[in-house]
Amino acid sequence: MEKTIAAVATGNAAGGIGVIRISGENAVEIADKVFFAADGSSLSELKGYRAKYGSIMEQGKPLDNAVALVFRAPKSYTGEDVCELSVHGGIFIVEKTLEAVFNAGAVPAEAGEFTKRAFLNGKMDLTQAESVADLISAEGETAALASFNALQGSLSNKINSILQILTDCSANMAAWVDYPDEEIPDLEDEELEKSLSSAAKALKELVENYENGRAMIQGIDTAIAGRPNAGKSTLMNLLSGTDKSIVTNIEGTTRDIVEESVRLGSLVLHLSDTAGLRKSADKVEAIGIDRAYGKIESASLILPVFDSSRILNKEDIHLIELCRGKKAVAIINKTDLVQRADVDLITGAFEHYVFISAKNSKCTAEIENQIKELFGSSDFDASSPILANQRQKQCCRKAMDYIFDAVSSLVMGVTRDAVNVLIDSAIDELLSLTGKKANVEVVNNIFSKFCVGK
Ligand code: GDP
């Protein structure tokens, strides 16, 4: 018998209410030992989806008023009997209530254990379980929508439809191989090839959309770079709406990387304001400049800032070179001043650029549009199935490769049982993606990244 587990389901901070979640065969029995309903009834008499008002008793003394909510297996988050005790959300009260629940027989839940039980009890598959963690950590609207849709099963449904195609092909071929003399309607090679290709194409689309999906969901690692005084810190502050980066007209003010995550419309940018690019004899500044180059190299998006009121210098030209072949939106700044820069050189080098006056204007919408265009996300549909992490991507990629191999083997006239081995390998990959065939280590690893209480 699985132990009955308990944990605080709300955050580790004072709030209006705090919820202690108990799950397992003895959940209601345990809750009954600490919760006393105002009408004198017992929670054990309660059907699922019912609540009672009462109080939490600790060592015979009332600790707090509370509401107990009862869910009956299998109609609960975990698929087990669940009882949630809502108390006032002071850290002390919540901790004391949890302690009372432990004293009554529950054991502390491990990280992600509630969701793990939901998965093991067939309440959700692995992609849905992973989306629970994503939904909790979502920082923006797109991320929340994408995770919510995954939780509703958008990716699972897509993968299951691909699995259906593969299992149909595999079953038919296996029958044909096993009973060659029987009158089994034989799938024509051409038809088989068409089905397999459609499955591979669907997987290819998922894999190819992965990077953009990631950028939209997890946010884009963005480096703001440029020569000193170009307006990098002003841009950073404009985007983040704070004065975190120090803005002065003294060169070399930002000596190290200043980081901030900001929401820009539906995008989330993880911004790094880097040190001004120039030759510097100052040791500390030189380290900052080295780091700036490192950040330009590693970022998923560069916002190179150019001061259009000054003639472009060596560093500007070098920066243009560094951005070549990378995702970048050129920020042509200080358009409120007399223009001296050879702007054509910038607009000729970058497909995406904006003219702004970071100091005076609200130009964030145009920057957002350019970034969305660059990431092909203007028409990004967060409600479509999206792969959420490397694990999912690797499973899809391997499955896709097996199917492409199967198609070329068919074309080359390789025996059907050999082709079927490839199809079965693809099926295995997709089953491990949804968790129907995932190994224990993979499953444990996924849930260990959750917070306790989820
Ligand atoms: P950084 O060294 O690239 O981070 O540059 P800062 O953001 O510190 O800006 C350098 C100077 O340029 C500051 O005095 C800013 O107020 C000024 N500045 C930034 N953007 C603009 C702009 O669009 N127009 C004008 N006129 N000044 C700006």
Side-chain angles (χ1 to χ4, degrees):
M1 187 182 76
E2 284 274 24
K3 288 189 170 137
T4 296
I5 51 172
V8 178
T10 39
N12 187 22
I17 59 165
V19 176
I20 289 91
R21 184 188 264 163
I22 314 167
S23 178
E25 207 166 326
N26 299 327
V28 180
E29 191 184 302
I30 288 170
D32 252 338
K33 289 187 187 156
V34 298
F35 174 85
F36 291 83
D39 63 5
S41 65
S42 126
L43 293 176
S44 312
E45 300 158 16
L46 220 55
K47 288 188 189 158
Y49 301 135
R50 300 284 197 280
K52 280 278 171 189
Y53 173 73
S55 51
I56 301 291
M57 300 291 274
E58 207 240 348
Q59 293 179 348
K61 284 190 236 135
L63 181 67
D64 192 11
N65 296 331
V67 171
L69 194 54
V70 168
F71 302 83
R72 294 289 183 180
K75 293 183 176 172
S76 71
Y77 182 74
T78 57
E80 305 171 328
D81 275 357
V82 168
C83 187
E84 289 181 358
L85 301 173
S86 299
V87 293
H88 289 107
I91 293 174
F92 175 78
I93 296 287
V94 171
E95 283 300 321
K96 270 290 187 203
T97 308
L98 182 63
E99 199 181 307
V101 168
F102 289 153
N103 290 338
V107 299
E110 286 169 19
E113 197 172 354
F114 292 98
T115 310
K116 187 177 177 182
R117 289 187 177 198
F119 163 67
L120 294 173
N121 289 327
K123 300 293 289 185
M124 56 177 76
D125 74 9
L126 262 194
T127 67
Q128 289 170 304
E130 284 171 316
S131 67
V132 172
D134 290 342
L135 191 57
I136 292 170
S137 58
E139 289 176 351
E141 192 182 326
T142 312
L145 182 60
S147 320
F148 181 67
N149 281 306
L151 180 59
Q152 298 304 100
S154 64
L155 181 61
S156 319
N157 293 342
K158 178 87 184 174
I159 299 296
N160 286 333
S161 70
I162 299 171
L163 269 167
Q164 189 60 53
I165 297 175
L166 297 179
T167 42
D168 284 351
C169 290
S170 171
N172 189 291
M173 285 171 68
W176 189 88
V177 170
D178 291 343
Y179 308 101
D181 301 331
E182 303 281 320
E183 284 287 307
I184 295 162
D186 178 17
L187 267 188
E188 294 292 333
D189 276 5
E190 208 177 298
E191 204 181 311
L192 203 55
E193 202 188 308
K194 224 162 98 193
S195 298
L196 291 175
S197 298
S198 75
K201 185 165 162 265
L203 288 170
K204 190 160 180 262
E205 265 169 28
L206 283 173
V207 171
E208 284 177 352
N209 281 336
Y210 174 74
E211 293 300 340
N212 285 348
R214 273 301 66 202
M216 293 304 107
I217 291 166
Q218 288 196 334
I220 306 170
D221 188 18
T222 307
I224 300 179
R227 70 198 254 202
N229 269 340
K232 300 180 293 300
S233 303
T234 311
L235 176 68
M236 171 92 166
N237 293 340
L238 177 74
L239 293 175
S240 61
T242 67
D243 279 338
K244 194 164 181 182
S245 291
I246 311 153
V247 179
T248 72
N249 55 6
I250 306 160
E251 297 197 346
T253 319
T254 306
R255 286 165 173 248
D256 203 349
I257 294 172
V258 179
E259 293 177 330
E260 178 93 66
S261 290
V262 303
R263 206 173 317 147
L264 185 61
S266 57
L267 297 171
V268 173
L269 301 183
H270 304 298
L271 292 175
S272 300
D273 179 14
T274 62
L277 304 173
R278 64 168 178 173
K279 270 211 154 26
S280 173
D282 181 307
K283 266 194 186 158
V284 179
E285 192 188 350
I287 295 171
I289 293 170
D290 271 352
R291 288 190 185 158
Y293 282 118
K295 193 72 215 175
I296 292 171
E297 188 59 38
S298 68
S300 310
L301 168 70
I302 310 165
L303 298 179
V305 184
F306 301 97
D307 178 347
S308 60
S309 72
R310 286 189 289 173
I311 292 169
L312 297 180
N313 70 1
K314 266 202 334 281
E315 272 78 25
D316 289 316
I317 305 296
H318 186 210
L319 181 58
I320 293 175
E321 286 305 317
L322 288 176
C323 291
R324 226 175 267 287
K326 301 216 167 77
K327 285 198 160 98
V329 174
I331 309 289
I332 303 165
N333 190 30
K334 305 200 189 181
T335 51
D336 54 305
L337 299 179
V338 176
Q339 303 290 282
R340 292 197 187 82
D342 181 358
V343 170
D344 290 348
L345 207 75
I346 306 171
T347 56
F350 291 89
E351 209 173 307
H352 297 271
Y353 50 82
V354 283
F355 287 92
I356 68 163
S357 172
K359 195 174 173 181
N360 303 318
S361 75
K362 291 266 169 254
C363 44
T364 51
E366 186 47 25
I367 299 175
E368 179 194 348
N369 288 340
Q370 288 298 318
I371 298 174
K372 281 183 166 172
E373 256 184 44
L374 179 63
F375 279 80
S377 56
S378 326
D379 48 7
F380 179 76
D381 180 6
S383 61
S384 64
I386 300 158
L387 299 175
N389 53 44
Q390 274 294 342
R391 182 192 78 82
Q392 297 180 358
K393 183 187 169 191
Q394 290 311 326
C395 292
C396 275
R397 180 181 286 284
K398 285 188 200 157
M400 178 184 85
D401 289 345
Y402 282 126
I403 304 171
F404 278 132
D405 281 354
V407 172
S408 33
S409 303
L410 260 184
V411 173
M412 286 187 316
V414 171
T415 58
R416 285 196 163 197
D417 48 350
V419 175
N420 219 9
V421 170
L422 292 166
I423 299 177
D424 284 345
S425 302
I427 291 174
D428 278 353
E429 288 299 335
L430 296 183
L431 289 178
S432 77
L433 167 59
T434 60
K436 284 206 183 91
K437 235 182 170 175
N439 73 40
V440 180
E441 263 165 52
V442 170
V443 172
N444 287 343
N445 185 33
I446 288 171
F447 290 103
S448 68
K449 292 180 189 136
F450 276 62
C451 49
V452 173
K454 195 57 234 172

